């Protein structure tokens, strides 16, 4: 997979506030890339720089392997803040105005309305739309001109649960059509449900980046109890495996961590062979939420 965007060492300050501190990562073509972090971590600043709305103090970025900025800009649709649609006008006419303001994509209003699932309602007034439909129209406006990349800042902010589900589904559909999507969000849930990749920001620092399942990998542990806890600990010292496991006792249960590739049944067999009978054996999974909070609070 080639990279559609490459970011090197971007920094930006507002007076004394350092909003971005040397951020670097690449966005692979076809990915749904989540830029994740709490409020104030620098997400909007980063997107603003990438869309040429803000100037970086230092660092560089290149779209599409170094395409000239004006050409690159035409391949990128963005939604940084909700467009000012006219409440009394139809979806179709609102898109007409947006298209002429941005001087692009007048011809593809119908296909855009189809893409965002509003074609049947194209003649309805904007004010009759649900929150999710309004946001779908906003994404539709970003799709005018048939961009290869879509950049969305907090696309589900302020939506009701139905609207959030609609936007998630739309993002999945657009991704399946080959559009690369970059989403800034403070919601881990959003990233977990729809993103293939993630970059985690905290106070302008990039903590981690890469495929979601690597960055937010679930860390498993095995919970054990035996009548003879001392013998159990002794037996675990000889547990086979490439990585040395570690354990601690919490509330009378032994928690075994770091035993990569070791399954509960392997532990059971090993203990049995050592003459230790287990009275409790459970595989526990650390949630992504826990992992994310650990990263952010570290
Ligand atoms: P996020 O999108 O993650 O909430 P922002 O990029 O909006 O983060 O903000 C990062 C930091 O920069 C915050 O401390 C914010 O208060 C500050 N900041 C953002 N925009 C401005 C601005 N125009 N002037 C001064 N400080 C700003």
């Amino acid at each position: 997979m080639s990279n559609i965007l490459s970011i090197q060492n971007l920094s930006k300050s507002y007076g004394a506030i350092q909003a971005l501190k040397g951020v670097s990562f690449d966005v692979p073509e076809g990915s749904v890339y989540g830029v994740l972090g709490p409020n104030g971590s620098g997400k909007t600043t980063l997107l603003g720089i990438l869309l040429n709305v803000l100037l970086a103090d230092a660092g560089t970025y290149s779209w599409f392997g170094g395409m000239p900025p004006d050409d690159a800009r035409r391949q990128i649709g963005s939604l940084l803040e909700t467009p000012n649609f006219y409440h009394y006008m139809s979806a179709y006419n609102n898109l007409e105005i947006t298209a002429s303001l941005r001087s692009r994509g007048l011809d593809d209003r119908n296909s855009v309305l189809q893409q965002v699932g509003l074609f049947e309602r194209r003649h309805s007034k904007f004010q009759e739309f649900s929150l999710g439909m309004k946001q779908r129209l906003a994404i539709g406006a970003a799709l005018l001109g048939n961009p290869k990349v879509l950049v969305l800042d907090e696309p589900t902010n302020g939506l009701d649960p139905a609207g959030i589900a609609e936007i998630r589904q739309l993002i999945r559909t657009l991704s399946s059509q080959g559009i690369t999507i970059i989403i800034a969000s403070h919601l881990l849930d959003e990233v977990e449900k729809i993103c293939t990749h993630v970059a985690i920001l905290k106070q302008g620092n990039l903590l981690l980046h890469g495929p979601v399942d690597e960055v937010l990998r679930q860390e498993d542990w095995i919970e054990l109890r035996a009548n003879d806890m001392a013998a159990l600990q002794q037996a675990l010292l000889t547990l086979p495996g490439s990585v040395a496991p570690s354990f601690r006792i919490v509330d009378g249960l032994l928690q075994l961590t770091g035993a990569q590739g070791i399954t509960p049944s392997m532990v059971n067999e090993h203990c049995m062979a050592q003459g230790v009978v287990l009275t409790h054996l459970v595989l526990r999974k650390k949630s992504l939420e826990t992992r994310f909070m650990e990263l952010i609070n570290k």
Side-chain angles (χ1 to χ4, degrees), residues 14 17 19 38-45:
Y14 301 100
I17 298 170
N39 286 327
S41 55
K43 304 181 297 292
T44 304
T45 300

